[in-house]
Amino acid sequence: MAVEERRIVVAVDESEESMHALSWFLKNVLSRNSQSTLTILHARRPVAVYPGVDKTSSLFSHDVFSSLERRDTEMATWVLEKATKMCSPYDVKVETRVEEGDPREVICEMVNSLKADLLVMGSRGYGVLARSIMGSVSNHCVQNANCPVLVVKMPKSSPVGSK
């Protein structure tokens, strides 16, 4: 009997919620007898350059821009190394990708281009007001991705001193 091969995209960033989603998926969903390829995707927001300010402006020197780019590259490397290390105890092929742009759009585009069978992502658990102001990446992906989306929420921590 042929073993089913699946392509799974896991969206990660520096948040605890995204790493929890990856960990939860690995422990609870990843099948021991399936041939899966996990694509660990980090969607990096572009460095914000405001209207009237460009890389050559005295307000936004090349050194500042380079420093911000270097910081973002180091963060992406750290996030992908951490995620890859979490996958190492499991028998799964891992690929990593860093794509630049609005995370909502980048994630949906990558799911489409990779022909993903599943998208896994965390949720920050914002309330209605915060979601309406800032937007929700997970909500956007649930509505727009061309594959099933598994959104993993962090468990609510119990109050200090309770059992």
Side-chain angles (χ1 to χ4, degrees):
M1 182 171 158
V3 177
E4 174 187 346
E5 186 170 341
R6 298 181 303 164
R7 177 164 290 278
I8 300 153
V9 174
V10 182
V12 295
D13 60 16
E14 61 279 359
S15 72
E16 186 179 353
E17 292 86 358
S18 74
M19 292 302 163
H20 172 74
L22 173 59
S23 175
W24 190 91
F25 171 79
L26 291 168
K27 292 175 187 169
N28 297 292
V29 178
L30 185 65
S31 174
R32 298 280 182 219
N33 58 359
S34 85
Q35 293 292 346
S36 297
T37 299
L38 287 186
T39 299
I40 308 295
L41 172 64
H42 178 70
R44 196 175 106 171
R45 291 184 188 276
V47 173
V49 178
Y50 299 98
V53 179
D54 62 23
K55 294 178 192 178
T56 61
S57 166
S58 60
L59 294 174
F60 199 76
S61 74
H62 178 72
D63 291 342
V64 171
F65 186 79
S66 295
S67 177
L68 292 171
E69 284 282 328
R70 189 171 44 258
R71 179 209 60 196
D72 289 351
T73 299
E74 289 171 358
M75 178 60 72
T77 301
W78 177 79
V79 166
L80 293 177
E81 285 175 355
K82 183 176 180 180
T84 302
K85 187 175 181 180
M86 290 173 66
C87 296
S88 62
Y90 299 89
D91 185 26
V92 63
K93 180 180 175 190
V94 177
E95 299 172 348
T96 60
R97 301 278 302 244
V98 176
E99 299 292 332
E100 189 169 311
D102 180 338
R104 295 173 294 187
E105 300 303 323
V106 166
I107 293 167
C108 288
E109 287 170 12
M110 289 307 301
V111 162
N112 292 340
S113 70
L114 294 171
K115 297 178 178 30
D117 297 302
L118 177 66
L119 169 61
V120 178
M121 57 193 324
S123 172
R124 293 221 164 91
Y126 291 140
V128 175
L129 180 60
R131 259 196 327 268
S132 66
I133 294 169
M134 299 184 319
S136 167
V137 175
S138 58
N139 187 55
H140 178 86
C141 292
V142 165
Q143 299 298 320
N144 296 287
N146 287 339
C147 70
V149 180
L150 174 62
V151 179
V152 181
K153 289 178 69 175
M154 289 279 291
K156 294 186 189 231
S157 58
S158 40
V160 176
S162 67
K163 292 185 179 183

